[in-house]
Amino acid sequence: FGKYLEVTPPSRLVWTNDEPGSDEGSVTTVTFEEEGGQTRVTVHDLYPTKAALDGAIESGSTDGWPEQLDQLEALLSSLAK
């Protein structure tokens, strides 16, 4: 759940992570920067309160980034062939 706040191809995405029935959603910013022929991906999650961050950590919702980035790498590799 959420909406895109900013889409700046090819360098930046910003979106909300809205949880139904809660006003404690985070805002995620992802930037893509070319660096020596490779791409540096930086992910920043901003939570409105420490309690919201603690809840996200406890629920495991912050654990998915490594898998998502692996999937992105596989997709990009397949497109480059």
Side-chain angles (χ1 to χ4, degrees):
F1 299 95
K3 63 181 175 182
Y4 285 99
L5 301 175
E6 181 182 340
V7 177
T8 307
S11 60
R12 183 176 165 96
L13 294 171
V14 181
W15 66 86
T16 63
N17 297 287
D18 299 329
E19 298 297 328
S22 173
D23 59 354
E24 295 286 305
S26 64
V27 175
T28 299
T29 301
V30 181
T31 58
F32 303 88
E33 300 172 89
E34 191 278 326
E35 194 172 278
Q38 297 184 343
T39 303
R40 175 183 296 273
V41 178
T42 304
V43 179
H44 182 259
D45 285 324
L46 178 62
Y47 289 85
T49 64
K50 182 171 181 338
L53 171 60
D54 291 344
I57 292 170
E58 288 173 16
S59 72
S61 67
T62 60
D63 296 340
W65 277 108
E67 181 179 351
Q68 292 176 43
L69 293 173
D70 288 345
Q71 292 171 354
L72 177 60
E73 181 180 15
L75 172 66
L76 294 176
S77 294
S78 72
L79 295 175
K81 295 179 181 177

